[in-house]
Amino acid sequence: MKRRRLYSAAPAAEADVRPTLLGVVTLLFLLLFFLLGTSSGQKLAVIGLHVGTADGLAPLPHAGLVKSLGVEIASTGAVTVRTVMQTTDISASATSTEQRVQPIPGRNGAVDRPALEAALAAVQKADPTQRKATVLPDDAVPTSALISVMDAVRGPNGTRFPEVTLQDLASAGAP
Amino acid sequence: MRRRLFTHATSAPRDGLDVGALAPMVDMMTLLLVFLLRTWSTESAPVPPSGSFELSTTTSTESRQHAVTILVSPEAIWVDGHRVIATPRIGADVLIREVYDPLLAQRGEQRVEIHADATVPWAVLKRVIATTEAAGLNEIALVGASAEGM
């Protein structure tokens, strides 16, 4: 006698994934419009400033070769990099400091950023331990030029001279 | 008997939208979503209610923190959203009294963020910074538009 199977295998039907996919697409559409409505394409970033000590005490001199670094900005876009460097005369066994001035003319009324970055990279190569720099803008220098120079001085991710001090060019002498 | 040049495919086309057509759309939407999540920001940048205002672009990646906000546009200066003085009316004094008083009222705050328009000259900005220092807010930061944004 042939036994009857209680549960016979049903014919396998192909599952329709279209409703699921449509649901996902709809959800993504809604999320997209929500994001567009609640967010902004402008991402903000901050640049920390060092504006001198309140007690007026001068900081201790840097121990490395580059004693100080100042970047002056003119309203024409011209930049002057002033570096006070320690030099040693081996024959005379004497150490002295000298100021090196490197003028960088502006390009089309703006700061020549590549030339400035090259000059700053050379200073950093001379003394990688120096982390401080002073930026001295002229009164008419716009904020865009100031931030551009500060970005160049700080370097990518603050790897060049991250401690930037702002000083007024009119009231400060050369560093 | 005439033969048909173009015969139907062996499998009959399905009614409605095909799965193959939907899959690239889902991929594209997901990519767009990831791109937006990465480049867009939910923090609202303060802008003056009138006049033009554009922040300078910066390569800095430091993010904002809770701070007193000073907005400097070519038209006016705002402290925490309140207009305090018209920029052209700033005098020759280093200290701006109209900015100093509201800053002095921010007791307990140490940090200030200055949102300055790209065209604002250093002559104005240095007075704002000096006033901020005089009011006892020592952690000063300049805010710019990140180059990573759209």
Side-chain angles (χ1 to χ4, degrees):
Chain A
M1 181 183 163
K2 194 177 180 181
R3 292 180 64 186
R4 288 180 60 194
R5 296 179 68 179
L6 281 176
Y7 302 102
S8 59
E14 191 185 342
D16 192 4
V17 293
R18 283 178 297 176
T20 315
L21 275 177
L22 273 174
V24 171
V25 170
T26 312
L27 197 71
L28 283 172
F29 254 117
L30 287 174
L31 202 55
L32 198 67
F33 283 110
F34 171 76
L35 271 177
L36 286 171
T38 58
S39 56
S40 154
Q42 194 180 51
K43 221 174 191 177
L44 301 182
V46 298
I47 307 168
L49 297 180
H50 293 259
V51 275
T53 52
D55 52 10
L57 294 173
L60 289 171
H62 179 61
L65 283 179
V66 176
K67 295 299 175 190
S68 69
L69 169 66
V71 182
E72 299 173 8
I73 320 168
S75 55
T76 55
V79 175
T80 307
V81 179
R82 290 184 188 272
T83 317
V84 177
M85 295 189 78
Q86 180 180 300
T87 54
T88 305
D89 186 350
I90 298 171
S91 59
S93 299
T95 303
S96 62
T97 54
E98 66 173 30
Q99 188 179 110
R100 295 180 182 177
V101 181
Q102 185 176 356
I104 299 167
R107 185 191 284 177
N108 300 327
V111 176
D112 189 351
R113 183 83 180 262
L116 175 61
E117 292 201 3
L120 292 167
V123 176
Q124 190 194 21
K125 198 176 174 184
D127 183 5
T129 61
Q130 177 61 276
R131 294 172 59 82
K132 295 178 182 176
T134 307
V135 174
L136 303 105
D138 188 39
D139 269 358
V141 169
T143 306
S144 57
L146 174 66
I147 287 186
S148 176
V149 169
M150 286 177 72
D151 280 342
V153 170
R154 286 160 54 90
N157 297 319
T159 51
R160 204 168 280 147
F161 304 102
E163 297 175 31
V164 178
T165 303
L166 279 178
Q167 215 173 339
D168 190 22
L169 181 61
S171 61
Chain B
M1 185 181 167
R2 291 178 65 189
R3 287 180 62 192
R4 298 182 70 177
L5 278 177
F6 300 101
T7 55
H8 287 293
T10 50
S11 60
R14 297 171 72 173
D15 294 334
L17 204 56
D18 193 29
V19 177
L22 273 177
M25 195 190 290
V26 174
D27 289 347
M28 201 182 70
M29 292 291 289
T30 312
L31 285 174
L32 198 59
L33 203 65
V34 171
F35 170 75
L36 278 176
L37 282 172
R38 186 167 161 70
T39 54
W40 283 51
S41 166
T42 51
E43 60 187 9
S44 59
V47 286
S50 62
S52 61
F53 187 79
E54 190 182 353
L55 285 172
S56 306
T57 309
T58 177
T59 54
S60 173
T61 52
E62 288 178 37
S63 53
R64 293 176 65 195
Q65 295 174 21
H66 174 74
V68 177
T69 304
I70 301 177
L71 199 144
V72 188
S73 84
E75 287 85 26
I77 297 176
W78 284 262
V79 176
D80 266 352
H82 299 285
R83 190 180 192 272
V84 289
I85 188 173
T87 308
R89 287 177 62 90
I90 293 173
D93 290 343
V94 173
L95 197 84
I96 309 168
R97 176 61 65 179
E98 289 81 357
V99 176
Y100 179 76
D101 289 340
L103 285 180
L104 208 58
Q106 305 276 351
R107 295 181 190 280
E109 291 284 353
Q110 286 292 312
R111 187 174 172 82
V112 65
E113 285 181 357
I114 300 172
H115 300 243
D117 184 86
T119 59
V120 167
W122 169 246
V124 172
L125 200 58
K126 72 178 179 185
R127 288 181 169 83
V128 173
I129 291 172
T131 306
T132 307
E133 270 198 296
L137 285 90
N138 299 320
E139 294 175 37
I140 305 169
L142 267 178
V143 179
S146 174
E148 287 181 352
M150 286 176 75

